[in-house]
Amino acid sequence: MSLPPARRPSVLRRTGAFCARHPVWVITAWLLVLAASIAGRHAVGAAYGDEVRLPGSQVSVGADLLERSDPAAGAPGGKVVFHVGSGKVSDHGAGLETTLDRLKDLPHVTTVAAPVTSADGATTYTAVSFDQKLKSLGHAYTERLDAATAPARDAGIGVGYGGDLHDIVRAPADDTASEAIGVSAALFVLLLAFGSVAAALMPLLTALISVGVGLGVVGIVAGTLTFATSAPTLATMIGLGVGIDYALFLITRFRQHLIDGHDPETAVARTTAVSGKAVLVAAVTVAVAMLSLYACGLTMIGRLGLAATVAVVVTALAALTLVPAAMGLVGRRIDVLRVRRRPVAETAGDHDGWHRYARRVARHPWRFFTAGCALVALCAIPLFSMRLGHIDDGAGPAGSTTRNAYDWIADADGPGFGPGVNGPFTVVVDLADATASADQVAGRLTDGLTETDGVARVTPPRPSQDGKILVTTVVPVTGPQSADTDALFATLTDTALPDTLQGTGATAHLTGSTAGQLEFRDTVTERLPVIIGIVLVAAFLLLTLVFRSLVIPLKAVVLNLLTTGASYGVLVAVFQWGWGDDLLGMSEPVPIESYVPMMMFAIVFGLSMDYEIFLLSRIAEEWHATHDNERAVGTGLSLTGRVITCAALIMTAVFLSFTGSPAVVVKMLALGLAVSVVLDATVVRLVLVPSLMFLMGRANWWLPGWLDRRLPQTTV
């Protein structure tokens, strides 16, 4: 009788074995790639910027009309604001006049407008225009601005930079301190989890190498594609979190195999074959979720997703090659320099606390399910009052030049001052098809806009030199991030401008920074359902393929939707309602930045799937071995309980460390991700998943036979 042919080891098993046999080669290769990627990033000159263009939108059309007919009106610029605490600016000698002369002599400055002074004389500002986009001048240009305004400061006059000058004076966010805090917290948790210095350092060092490579690759790509300024921070935050987590899962399984008596090479191969597959599925899920952001049609958002995807892909590759090499190199010496007597790996046996807890849930599944849903729903309640918007300079750090400029203009009295001056709308009227004269259109425009609720002032409409357009400025009563300014934008777009110009043949377009931000918000809101749909369908199909079940993927998708909703709710309560402003270094409540929910959904959904996949993978292993649902759930909880808890603590610590970032958007993303990880690792993993699996019983693993036959096998 002939024996059946031996089954060939999987690709992942062979990869793990190779890396364990040749650890020095693999580690050296990664260090060379790290050096090359860092050198490449510096060589190409990475470009970062937050400019968003929406071709065909009214803001874009208005900007194009300005550029063609009246370039001076559409030129990039901002405000230089002067203020004294008592008396008048004019009482401080010739400091202001000297500063204005020096501003005119700055390179790339085209005009310096006549100063506008408040009623009490304590505040003055001048509008400065440039011949190129302010972002392109770079932060180094701030030194020239400071040198030009030095005479005013020497005379005792405060100086602030307002409007779009924040693109120059805001230094790139330095999150080094946040990264150091996150790494330190991760090391502390790893020492508690593994009980030895060698085992604790391994996931940390491999994650740092992979993050360095990922940032290098992002920087190289940024030499061709312009990424948003927050892209490197986002890539670091996600790469560090998942990199440590992936290594933690692998090393925990590796130690268990060593405890079970396997030699190091076999232990590495077995670990990479099984846990490596879970890592691969988790990384693909995150990558698919992040790349789906391109479907929104907004280049800046899509490229943020691309930067995060690069970080995740690199960390996954490191987890499947660099981590096995490190495990092979260390071998049984993984427990040297112990800080705890007894090494800890995966499980304490069939009668440990996790199994007892699983039996308790099995006896009262409805009770646990209801309690878990109630807690998540409670966190999600604020979601229903979410207001998207743009965070203006009024929410900047107290004492910063941009915050000072904003406050001085907003608080001063008299024509040309008030909160709305910080975010005016530019109205461009196209006269190409007008049947009325320019004077008639200008008169109707002035009357109609002046009578519109929420408008503080309207400048007299003036024709361009070629006579093809009229240009006027509308100053709202309220500041740029106010809900009333949002309402005014909608009123002007939908009713005020069309009704005012009805019958004249002329058409009006709102443009400028504030209008662009609000139109971007509306576009993001409109396209968010598309992103949600793509991510849900992609995740469902991927999990169906991996777990050979329709119920488990459906459950995972629904539970992750609940987690995302709860995370949104916490963001609204903290940032929009102002709960915890002081803790996060915020000076006032702010709206939720328009693109944060879209980014949050993709990231949270991908990361939430990580723990779900690791837990379900172990449950599925036990189910296929015993076909005992209660035992499978208990064993899955027991085998993953300690490691998922530690991984969640690490990722939460990493994310929370970034709430100290000076960028409010980074604070939002960091807090939202931390909340989602906590909820997913506790409520979802410990309550909702086991209770639902007990309620569904054998139906958890239901897959129609015809579909099972048609689905490709996923053996890797």
Side-chain angles (χ1 to χ4, degrees), residues 41-253:
R41 181 182 64 184
H42 290 295
V44 301
Y48 300 96
D50 294 325
E51 183 181 8
V52 178
R53 293 299 298 267
L54 301 172
S57 67
Q58 68 160 337
V59 172
S60 180
V61 172
D64 291 341
L65 287 171
L66 270 179
E67 187 175 351
R68 289 196 301 267
S69 297
D70 196 353
K79 298 180 179 69
V80 179
V81 189
F82 308 93
H83 178 78
V84 292
S86 61
K88 299 180 179 181
V89 173
S90 58
D91 296 337
H92 289 252
L96 177 60
E97 288 73 15
T98 305
T99 288
L100 294 176
D101 291 338
R102 290 192 178 184
L103 286 173
K104 294 174 184 177
D105 294 336
L106 285 177
H108 304 295
V109 170
T110 55
T111 59
V112 177
V116 179
T117 303
S118 62
D120 61 3
T123 305
T124 295
Y125 73 82
T126 180
V128 182
S129 299
F130 296 81
D131 61 7
Q132 60 181 261
K133 294 177 181 178
L134 299 182
K135 276 285 186 184
S136 65
L137 297 178
H139 180 61
Y141 196 87
T142 304
E143 295 181 5
R144 293 182 170 180
L145 281 175
D146 288 341
T149 57
R153 283 193 297 274
D154 293 342
I157 302 172
V159 179
Y161 303 121
D164 290 342
L165 282 178
H166 59 214
D167 288 342
I168 296 176
V169 300
R170 281 182 184 169
D174 183 3
D175 294 311
T176 305
S178 297
E179 294 167 10
I181 293 172
V183 170
S184 301
L187 179 59
F188 177 74
V189 176
L190 287 168
L191 284 172
L192 292 179
F194 285 128
S196 78
V197 175
L201 287 176
M202 195 185 304
L204 196 58
L205 293 176
T206 55
L208 288 174
I209 292 173
S210 63
V211 168
V213 173
L215 286 176
V217 174
V218 169
I220 293 171
V221 177
T224 304
L225 305 176
T226 300
F227 284 108
T229 53
S230 58
T233 301
L234 180 64
T236 301
M237 188 165 55
I238 294 178
L240 194 58
V242 301
I244 295 174
D245 273 12
Y246 292 165
L248 179 62
F249 282 107
L250 290 166
I251 294 170
T252 302
R253 191 72 176 262

Side-chain angles (χ1 to χ4, degrees), residues 61 65 427-445 461 467-471 492-493 495-509:
V61 172
L65 287 171
V427 180
V428 180
V429 180
D430 187 358
L431 300 175
D433 298 321
T435 56
S437 67
D439 290 340
Q440 290 174 325
V441 173
R444 292 186 61 172
L445 190 65
K468 294 182 178 181
I469 63 172
L470 288 174
V471 183
L492 292 173
T493 301
T495 57
L497 288 173
D499 292 349
T500 296
L501 299 181
Q502 187 174 9
T504 65
T507 55
H509 309 277

Side-chain angles (χ1 to χ4, degrees), residues 221-373:
V221 177
T224 304
L225 305 176
T226 300
F227 284 108
T229 53
S230 58
T233 301
L234 180 64
T236 301
M237 188 165 55
I238 294 178
L240 194 58
V242 301
I244 295 174
D245 273 12
Y246 292 165
L248 179 62
F249 282 107
L250 290 166
I251 294 170
T252 302
R253 191 72 176 262
F254 169 69
R255 290 182 79 189
Q256 185 62 50
H257 286 315
L258 290 180
I259 292 171
D260 292 341
H262 296 287
D263 64 89
E265 182 179 325
T266 302
V268 171
R270 290 169 66 94
T271 296
T272 311
V274 181
S275 294
K277 181 177 179 180
V279 167
L280 187 60
V281 173
V284 170
T285 304
V286 177
V288 169
M290 298 308 304
L291 289 177
S292 69
L293 291 170
Y294 269 106
C296 72
L298 301 171
T299 303
M300 187 191 83
I301 303 296
R303 289 177 181 173
L304 275 173
L306 176 61
T309 300
V310 169
V312 171
V313 169
V314 172
T315 53
L317 290 174
L320 299 176
T321 55
L322 180 60
V323 174
M327 293 188 296
L329 182 66
V330 173
R332 296 190 182 278
R333 298 186 300 275
I334 194 169
D335 287 319
V336 298
L337 300 176
R338 291 185 186 179
V339 295
R340 186 172 52 205
R341 180 181 302 176
R342 182 180 177 185
V344 178
E346 285 190 334
T347 180
D350 290 342
H351 302 288
D352 63 1
W354 292 107
H355 280 85
R356 292 194 297 273
Y357 172 75
R359 287 192 290 271
R360 188 176 302 115
V361 177
R363 289 195 297 270
H364 309 285
W366 278 112
R367 185 181 302 172
F368 279 84
F369 177 71
T370 304
C373 287

